[in-house]
Amino acid sequence: MFSLKPKPFNGGVHPKGYKELTQQQDISKSFVPDRVYLGMQQRNGSMLNSLVAIGDQVTKGQLIARGSNDMTVPLHSPVNGTVEDIKPFLSSHPSGIKSQTLVISNNGDKRWGEDYPSSDYQKLSHEQIVERVLKAGVVGLGGAGFPTGIKLRLARKSKVHTLLINGGECEPYLTCDDRLMREQASEIIAGIKLMAKAIGATSTIIAIEDNKPEAINAIKQACDGFNGISLKVVPSLYPMGSERHLIKAVTGIAIEPGQLSTAQGILVHNVATAKAVYQAVRYQRPLIERVITVSGDAVESPANITVPIGSLVSQVIAECGGLKAEAKRMIAGGPMMGQVLPSPFVPIDKSVGGLLALSEEKINQRESQDCVRCGNCVKVCPMGLMPFQMAAHSNNDDWQGAQEFGLDSCLLCGACSYICPSSIPLVQYFQHAKSNINAQRSMTQKSNLARQLTEARQQRLAREAAAKKAAKAAKRKRPTRSRNTQGES
Amino acid sequence: MAAFNPVAAPHTHSGLSTTNIMYLVILALSPAALHGVWLFGLPAVTVLVSCCISAWLSEVVCLQLQGKNWLSSVDGSSLLTALLLAMSLPASTPWWIASIGCAFAIMIGKHVYGGLGHNPFNPAMLGRVMLLICFPFELTNWQATSSPSLGAEGLAFSQQWMGIDGVSAATPLADLNQVQAWNELLIGTHAGSLGETSALLIALGGLFLIWRGIIRPYIPCSLLLGIAIPASIAHWINPQDFASAFSHLLSGGAMLAAFFIATDLVTSPTSPRGQLLFGAGCGLLIWLIRSFGSYPEGVAFAVLIMNAGTPVIDHYLRPKIFGSQSLFKRSKGA
């Protein structure tokens, strides 16, 4: 704690990495699932429309579902095979919700359905790059899953000058970005240059945590000789992967609460996304697979593995030697922010970056005690909040009080829960409070809409009644007038 | 087999526990406590033991009455309270007075408010003040030190050390004319309460806690400065009536307050800014009470007064939200 290096931002924690489990293994590309399950409902709730029917033959890379707008990225078949079924199936959402799902059997042929020749991608205009990215269904692979094409287009509109590439990977256990940087540095750099061109950025910074020396070397070599791309080594501190904190660590700029990074002219993308962009633009290949880390002390042989989108967790785990008996919890993502999987039979979607199987010992969850106001949560909160106060308000259903203490700025990064000596599940309180506030907000919106509609209807009725009255009056008036004229005459 | 019921992240924990923290603080306090036993002998042991037993029994009774698990009485919090109270008492305090004080501290100071984590005032200091008001004679009857001396015939134990009789003496705070050598104050071979005489051992324990990340240096630093600055100014203007900053810092409970009492997790503010203000307030009050009050020692009162302000400090002096400019109207912008 007496480190002389200044901390890149206030707060943060140093959870043990466990990266050695998978850090030294090449990305395995041999995994072939016998079936893939592709949900028609995306993480943000929007629906896709299937373009295929049961019994159709599909080829690897074929467009099989499309949304109604650009916010819903298209879906391509990750395998060659037959559409076996279209039925409700579990999604990776922790609620265990089922959505309409295409089940495609795999015939084992690993070739692409059509040829994707390399095109002269250097000469493409920025709009063409964005078009290709949108068409390929690329989303942010860092975890948020926002459509990359949309992000690039919006960034150009708001005149972004700096592209920041996130190679931080601050979550314990995860090493897929690390391996990707080591093995495919040149593709990543090419993708980064395409993204920079698409948004019109004048400078590009790649940020990597200092616990990945090989990745730093690989990227350094790959971007050697290119102007405008610089590499920045940042200290390993959780949550370095958070957009705001990475920006603070690299540029010193603190994005204001409620503000987007693009307002300061900075756009952040993940390294894996850069690689997908390269594939999408140069070869016009759709995003149908991704590298994930399968790790944890309860997996037989942890690995980094390329999985077709839609592979079941159970298949991937089986590929990695299966679970050990002490497995207590299966998590999609890292241990700090990952979600508990509702079942081993859920498909992996584009935003899943890791699968962890942890034992009781590694989860290290204990019964929670009373808060002793030790202030550790305040000390580690990277957003400068007072988690224990927010939790106290949330505990009393005082959502407004929680918001006054900055609930809206909370990242749910879990640093406070991680450090809390009383083992209070602080993040759980905040998730609960946030969902309640959201529900309230949508209720208010709904009732406002209903009120507006009712008012509009009443106004319309009043208008119609007035018109009727006027018409009646006009009808009655005519004879009166005529009578009057008669009388006068 | 893996369970698939949804549980909120994070799925890992640092391993830090409240019980760990409490015992680490007790560990940090123990050199000074043992030093007190060395100085004052059997009476000191009596005070320490009676405080600990009384605190633990009170804790068990209160937990039972509230229907909580009585086993959580061993979490170290009541033991810490007992230790702090015992160390702030003169070694000659009769065992039953010490016990009453400790029972008061646990029952009224802590459990009346809802138990661990809910008490607004430092329980040990509440017990100390209650005893000072109810038993003023016993509580100001400081004993001269009587540590065993190493002579030619081995260790020689004085009569006082065996607890047969005590010679009362004034603390350096009560008697300004008695000039104390600074090294004597540092090591603690002067009269005083059981555990506050050795400024050095207490400060070392405090530094250990800072090194382990249990407490942050804000409160100790601002508290010591809060005493030292006004004391130096007053001493510079009028050396006859005002003690120097050195004797203020090194005698009485100043060190104990700086590292162990004012830093009590439950009753002190949590933000760095709040802690700085809290510590400075404590320091200033300690100096004011010592210099102008009718009591020779002001630690307990000063800490209790500032405890009352903790909720207000925590409300107004929050840390700056990441990226925000304003310290106060923060929810508006978010």
Side-chain angles (χ1 to χ4, degrees):
Chain A
M1 76 162 282
F2 290 122
S3 150
L4 289 174
K5 263 193 262 173
K7 272 173 92 176
F9 52 83
N10 287 328
V13 289
H14 288 280
K16 191 166 170 355
Y18 299 106
K19 304 236 181 198
E20 65 281 356
L21 288 172
T22 50
Q23 210 166 21
Q24 300 309 331
Q25 298 169 36
D26 289 345
I27 297 171
S28 149
K29 296 192 176 87
S30 59
F31 173 58
V32 184
D34 55 354
R35 256 174 210 87
V36 289
Y37 298 76
L38 301 157
M40 292 290 107
Q41 186 166 22
Q42 291 187 329
R43 273 291 175 91
N44 60 10
S46 56
M47 296 298 287
L48 292 162
N49 300 314
S50 169
L51 304 175
V52 292
I54 297 176
D56 283 1
Q57 294 287 321
V58 291
T59 56
K60 185 171 167 181
Q62 182 186 334
L63 180 69
I64 52 171
R66 205 168 29 200
S68 48
N69 58 18
D70 279 348
M71 277 306 288
T72 319
V73 295
L75 193 62
H76 303 81
S77 174
V79 293
N80 292 304
T82 319
V83 179
E84 254 184 4
D85 206 350
I86 303 178
K87 61 175 182 186
F89 198 79
L90 279 176
S91 70
S92 62
H93 195 273
S95 66
I97 198 166
K98 288 186 177 180
S99 65
Q100 204 64 12
T101 301
L102 288 180
V103 185
I104 301 175
S105 71
N106 184 5
N107 63 17
D109 187 356
K110 288 189 88 173
R111 281 174 302 177
W112 287 85
E114 51 184 293
D115 239 11
Y116 293 105
S118 165
S119 52
D120 195 357
Y121 65 101
Q122 311 270 20
K123 286 186 184 148
L124 293 174
S125 74
H126 61 85
E127 195 43 46
Q128 279 171 313
I129 296 174
V130 171
E131 277 306 320
R132 286 190 180 187
V133 171
L134 281 175
K135 233 180 101 196
V138 180
V139 298
L141 297 179
F146 192 83
T148 303
I150 302 283
K151 209 171 158 183
L152 293 174
R153 188 177 278 164
L154 290 177
R156 191 171 188 95
K157 262 189 200 150
S158 47
K159 302 205 168 28
V160 162
H161 50 74
T162 303
L163 175 64
L164 181 54
I165 299 297
N166 185 350
E169 199 161 53
C170 57
E171 278 265 16
Y173 293 99
L174 301 191
T175 56
C176 49
D177 286 353
D178 184 9
R179 287 309 312 184
L180 209 61
M181 286 188 279
R182 290 199 213 178
E183 295 176 30
Q184 293 162 19
S186 52
E187 284 190 27
I188 291 172
I189 298 295
I192 290 170
K193 286 201 286 184
L194 286 170
M195 287 204 278
K197 188 173 177 190
I199 60 175
T202 47
S203 77
T204 301
I205 307 167
I206 307 169
I208 308 177
E209 277 196 350
D210 59 7
N211 57 359
K212 304 175 187 61
E214 288 94 341
I216 292 168
N217 267 336
I219 291 287
K220 199 182 272 171
Q221 277 172 14
C223 65
D224 200 23
F226 292 127
N227 290 329
I229 301 185
S230 59
L231 178 69
K232 183 106 180 176
V233 180
V234 291
S236 44
L237 177 67
Y238 179 86
M240 186 56 85
S242 144
E243 190 172 290
R244 285 159 189 273
H245 295 93
L246 194 70
I247 290 172
K248 177 79 179 20
V250 172
T251 66
I253 297 170
I255 309 290
E256 275 178 43
Q259 205 184 33
L260 290 174
S261 68
T262 48
Q264 293 278 356
I266 303 167
L267 183 73
V268 182
H269 270 296
N270 176 270
V271 281
T273 316
K275 193 220 149 189
V277 165
Y278 171 74
Q279 292 280 343
V281 176
R282 178 162 184 186
Y283 303 104
Q284 300 189 55
R285 269 185 201 153
L287 178 70
I288 54 155
E289 59 184 23
R290 65 165 300 159
V291 182
I292 66 168
T293 301
V294 184
S295 189
D297 63 327
V299 171
E300 278 299 339
S301 43
N304 285 302
I305 180 166
T306 305
V307 293
I309 303 299
S311 308
L312 289 188
V313 167
S314 56
Q315 295 172 330
V316 180
I317 294 286
E319 177 75 11
C320 295
L323 292 183
K324 291 183 190 167
E326 61 261 36
K328 234 357 215 204
R329 203 177 282 178
M330 293 276 317
I331 298 155
M336 295 299 283
M337 288 188 80
Q339 295 175 331
V340 173
L341 288 167
S343 147
F345 305 109
V346 296
I348 288 167
D349 60 29
K350 288 176 183 177
S351 53
V352 173
L355 285 181
L356 300 182
L358 301 179
S359 68
E360 193 96 63
E361 184 207 336
K362 289 289 178 290
I363 298 169
N364 199 10
Q365 195 173 38
R366 286 163 305 176
E367 214 175 304
S368 62
Q369 293 166 287
D370 284 333
C371 172
V372 291
R373 296 171 38 93
C374 66
N376 274 322
C377 53
V378 180
K379 191 160 73 176
V380 302
C381 180
M383 291 305 290
L385 308 176
M386 298 177 101
F388 79 99
Q389 297 274 43
M390 282 167 23
H393 285 291
S394 307
N395 207 9
N396 294 327
D397 291 359
D398 176 11
W399 315 130
Q400 205 181 342
Q403 275 177 305
E404 259 163 46
F405 274 90
L407 183 71
D408 293 331
S409 294
C410 174
L411 302 171
L412 301 172
C413 72
C416 51
S417 289
Y418 171 79
I419 207 80
C420 177
S422 294
S423 298
I424 299 169
L426 292 156
V427 173
Q428 202 172 317
Y429 284 117
F430 306 151
Q431 280 176 346
H432 181 64
K434 280 188 177 216
S435 61
N436 267 291
I437 290 164
N438 280 341
Q440 255 178 19
R441 223 171 258 160
S442 67
M443 283 278 278
T444 324
Q445 270 171 7
K446 253 186 205 165
S447 63
N448 278 346
L449 188 66
R451 208 187 49 236
Q452 280 169 11
L453 288 175
T454 317
E455 274 171 13
R457 180 168 181 270
Q458 275 166 353
Q459 280 172 6
R460 178 174 58 84
L461 289 179
R463 221 171 27 240
E464 280 174 5
K468 230 181 222 172
K469 217 173 172 183
K472 238 180 204 171
K475 233 184 215 170
R476 222 181 291 137
K477 231 177 182 174
R478 221 179 302 135
T480 325
R481 204 190 290 146
S482 60
R483 209 187 299 145
N484 282 349
T485 40
Q486 273 170 4
E488 269 175 2
S489 62
Chain B
M1 192 44 220
F4 293 98
N5 47 329
V7 189
H11 310 286
T12 175
H13 193 269
S14 59
L16 195 68
S17 81
T18 310
T19 312
N20 277 347
I21 293 179
M22 294 296 172
Y23 282 107
L24 268 175
V25 180
I26 291 170
L27 182 72
L29 262 180
S30 49
L34 292 176
H35 181 70
V37 172
W38 171 257
L39 288 178
F40 299 107
L42 207 55
V45 178
T46 318
V47 170
L48 280 170
V49 170
S50 55
C51 271
C52 292
I53 292 174
S54 154
W56 181 69
L57 285 177
S58 319
E59 180 89 7
V60 169
V61 168
C62 288
L63 287 172
Q64 287 283 26
L65 285 175
Q66 292 171 71
K68 293 181 183 169
N69 187 1
W70 69 274
L71 279 175
S72 60
S73 62
V74 293
D75 64 1
S77 63
S78 55
L79 187 61
L80 181 58
T81 302
L83 208 53
L84 279 175
L85 178 59
M87 289 174 70
S88 70
L89 294 176
S92 58
T93 314
W95 67 268
W96 55 275
I97 290 185
S99 304
I100 290 173
C102 231
F104 182 86
I106 297 291
M107 290 181 168
I108 309 294
K110 184 165 137 190
H111 281 287
V112 158
Y113 298 104
L116 182 63
H118 300 290
N119 48 306
F121 298 105
N122 188 319
M125 289 305 103
L126 219 50
R128 170 92 171 86
V129 165
M130 178 276 230
L131 290 183
L132 190 60
I133 292 167
C134 297
F135 306 97
F137 174 72
E138 286 86 348
L139 264 281
T140 45
N141 181 23
W142 283 286
Q143 223 182 335
T145 58
S146 52
S147 52
S149 53
L150 194 61
E153 290 143 42
L155 274 179
F157 295 95
S158 70
Q159 293 273 296
Q160 290 87 40
W161 207 86
M162 307 305 280
I164 293 164
D165 193 16
V167 178
S168 52
T171 75
L173 279 172
D175 187 4
L176 274 175
N177 298 326
Q178 187 189 352
V179 180
Q180 297 277 331
W182 67 271
N183 58 343
E184 207 172 292
L185 287 170
L186 206 60
I187 306 298
T189 48
H190 55 88
S193 292
L194 199 167
E196 5 178 274
T197 55
S198 172
L200 185 69
L201 286 178
I202 294 168
L204 284 178
L207 290 177
F208 167 75
L209 288 186
I210 292 173
W211 170 62
R212 290 303 303 265
I214 306 293
I215 60 172
R216 292 200 270 178
Y218 303 114
I219 291 180
C221 292
S222 62
L223 191 147
L224 295 177
L225 284 176
I227 300 177
I229 293 172
S232 317
I233 295 171
H235 184 70
W236 177 66
I237 295 170
N238 183 357
Q240 256 75 52
D241 291 347
F242 294 100
S244 70
F246 250 120
S247 48
H248 264 295
L249 292 182
L250 297 181
S251 63
M255 281 289 167
L256 199 64
F259 290 103
F260 292 96
I261 298 171
T263 54
D264 172 37
L265 304 174
V266 180
T267 56
S268 62
T270 47
S271 70
R273 253 176 270 262
Q275 293 188 340
L276 283 174
L277 178 69
F278 179 84
C282 284
L284 187 65
L285 283 172
I286 290 173
W287 178 78
L288 283 174
I289 295 169
R290 280 178 177 182
S291 307
F292 303 104
S294 51
Y295 289 97
E297 176 62 292
V299 166
F301 291 108
V303 170
L304 289 179
I305 292 168
M306 287 313 287
N307 281 165
T310 295
V312 182
I313 294 175
D314 252 351
H315 187 84
Y316 284 104
L317 290 184
R318 302 178 201 171
K320 204 180 85 162
I321 195 165
F322 183 86
S324 79
Q325 306 305 317
S326 152
L327 275 176
F328 293 98
K329 290 172 190 165
R330 29 193 291 169
S331 53
K332 309 288 186 288

